[in-house]
Amino acid sequence: MLEQYLNWPRQVRDSLSKWGTWSVRGDFTHVAVFGMGGSGVVGDYLALLSLESGKYPVIVVKSHIVPSYVGEKTLAIVVSYSGNTIETIMAFENLLKSGATIAVVSSGGVLKTMAQERGVTYVEVPKGLAPRASLPSMLYSTLGLLDSSGYTLVSKSAAENSAEFLEEKVSEAVEAARDLSKWLYEEAVRAERLPVVVTHSPLEAIAIRFKNELNENSKIVVKVDIAPECMHNDVVGYEAPTTRRLAVLEVVDPSNEVGTKLVDFMRSIYSEHDAAFYRLAAAGRNVLEKAMYLSLVAGLASVMLAEMRGLDPAATKSIAMYKKKAAEIFS
Ligand code: PA5
């Protein structure tokens, strides 16, 4: 599993070599991205990128339900690494009736067959990885599709720069992950503290990604606080919490002064309790690079933590159990 994350620069390069292969035509007012779990995160990251450079909104749908406003002006991107996730397949089936232009991203599965049968644009990513570890392939392939379709969020040259950046940063990310995983093991696992990932806007998606990686790879429960929104609800929960033992991972972008001050404020709230702190700073020249660097640290640290606990990071027994039951639930 560690290897899969260490290969991220290679995944980015492979996707870059296929940049321009896939495109769609149409006049869209927005992009809607459908997908669950490790595939759904592609939507989160596209939405994050659209905040900085998008000329249109990116809507993220992590559900089988297609919003009623989806129609002819929608470019719908359906992402499922396996191509077999029931919610995503149902969304695809509903999208076919919506009038939206659809593109499917997967490594095969039912969605590949369905897309090809319906003549829907189909973007194939390499097989054989854990969906969450395949983030660069899914994300960069989608960025390439958007760029080639005239809906650029990241240009090819910016994507190439980010590949170079990631190659240079791998060893730094490994060191950061090693340090972070040791801290999580001591201060969260052994000290039996609740891990809390706190960040500031616009890094919401990164905090969620940290949570998901720690859930799926390390098998731990994690709370997420996002400032400034958490100052309007979560803070009150810390007045009389059910546990006062917290292991707080602060994820900050040092170039965001306000964001950093907001996270500092949250530290004063957690400090009322038995809290341990770890601050992780984003590296990178733009949102894409910061997102990729932090996601790589999250992936590596969560795998290292699983290994320290003697657990298999790749196994996601509960997701498999749910997927078996889901067919029955949705039938
Ligand atoms: O990372 C994982 O294994 C999960 O979060 C999956 O991504 C999730 O269950 C959805 O499956 P898929 O990505 O194959 O659609």
Side-chain angles (χ1 to χ4, degrees):
M1 198 67 182
L2 214 51
E3 276 307 303
Q4 297 188 20
Y5 287 97
L6 291 171
N7 262 332
W8 273 20
R10 165 65 70 83
Q11 280 191 41
V12 174
R13 289 283 179 204
D14 284 353
S15 310
L16 276 164
S17 70
K18 295 178 197 133
W19 198 278
T21 307
W22 300 286
S23 64
V24 292
R25 290 282 153 260
D27 183 16
F28 312 114
T29 54
H30 58 279
V31 170
V33 190
F34 296 79
M36 309 301 294
S39 298
V41 77
V42 173
D44 293 337
Y45 282 22
L46 295 178
L48 170 61
L49 291 164
S50 79
L51 294 178
E52 197 173 71
S53 54
K55 310 242 173 328
Y56 53 85
V58 174
I59 295 139
V60 185
V61 187
K62 297 186 181 186
S63 163
H64 56 295
I65 301 167
V66 173
S68 59
Y69 53 78
V70 165
E72 283 170 9
K73 291 284 173 195
T74 309
L75 168 55
I77 303 178
V78 177
V79 190
S80 168
Y81 184 72
S82 62
N84 293 326
T85 299
I86 189 145
E87 296 92 331
T88 319
I89 293 171
M90 288 174 74
F92 175 76
E93 284 171 336
N94 291 327
L95 281 165
L96 289 171
K97 300 173 216 148
S98 71
T101 297
I102 311 171
V104 168
V105 180
S106 88
S107 67
V110 172
L111 276 168
K112 176 179 178 179
T113 312
M114 290 174 91
Q116 289 178 336
E117 277 172 7
R118 299 297 190 121
V120 164
T121 304
Y122 177 67
V123 178
E124 185 145 24
V125 295
K127 288 189 177 30
L129 305 177
R132 53 198 175 280
S134 178
L135 173 66
S137 292
M138 295 189 286
L139 179 63
Y140 281 74
S141 301
T142 310
L143 288 172
L145 170 92
L146 287 169
D147 186 41
S148 313
S149 308
Y151 291 85
T152 305
L153 285 179
V154 171
S155 65
K156 188 171 185 195
S157 62
E160 276 163 352
N161 291 341
S162 73
E164 206 172 299
F165 165 81
L166 208 57
E167 280 153 4
E168 283 166 15
K169 286 287 174 186
V170 170
S171 31
E172 192 178 314
V174 170
E175 280 320 302
R178 192 163 288 138
D179 201 48
L180 173 57
S181 59
K182 280 187 195 147
W183 178 82
L184 282 165
Y185 186 67
E186 289 304 325
E187 303 297 346
V189 176
R190 291 190 56 171
E192 296 187 346
R193 289 193 179 93
L194 172 70
V196 178
V197 180
V198 57
T199 193
H200 54 79
S201 289
L203 301 184
E204 289 85 343
I206 314 281
I208 303 286
R209 174 70 177 182
F210 259 97
K211 178 195 81 66
N212 293 348
E213 292 287 72
L214 290 168
N215 295 152
E216 291 180 59
N217 291 333
S218 324
K219 281 79 179 161
I220 53 174
V221 172
V222 178
K223 181 181 185 321
V224 173
D225 287 340
I226 293 157
E229 171 62 11
C230 65
M231 274 64 153
H232 300 274
N233 32 58
D234 299 83
V235 275
V236 188
Y238 291 106
E239 288 177 15
T242 51
T243 177
R244 294 180 181 273
R245 297 177 61 73
L246 310 170
V248 184
L249 167 59
E250 302 169 328
V251 180
V252 295
D253 176 355
S255 70
N256 186 331
E257 209 181 309
V258 170
T260 308
K261 281 186 189 161
L262 290 170
V263 171
D264 289 343
F265 173 83
M266 280 308 290
R267 188 180 270 223
S268 70
I269 300 282
Y270 305 126
S271 297
E272 294 292 311
H273 307 294
D274 171 6
F277 294 94
Y278 191 99
R279 182 161 290 203
L280 180 67
R285 296 158 293 194
N286 51 48
V287 184
L288 177 63
E289 291 180 0
K290 286 171 193 170
M292 292 311 293
Y293 174 76
L294 289 172
S295 305
L296 182 57
V297 175
L300 291 168
S302 59
V303 169
M304 290 171 183
L305 181 59
E307 284 168 358
M308 284 178 204
R309 301 184 73 203
L311 300 171
D312 175 6
T316 46
K317 214 171 51 191
S318 311
I319 298 178
M321 197 172 73
Y322 163 70
K323 284 186 175 176
K324 268 197 192 151
K325 190 79 185 162
E328 198 185 298
I329 295 172
F330 287 105
S331 69

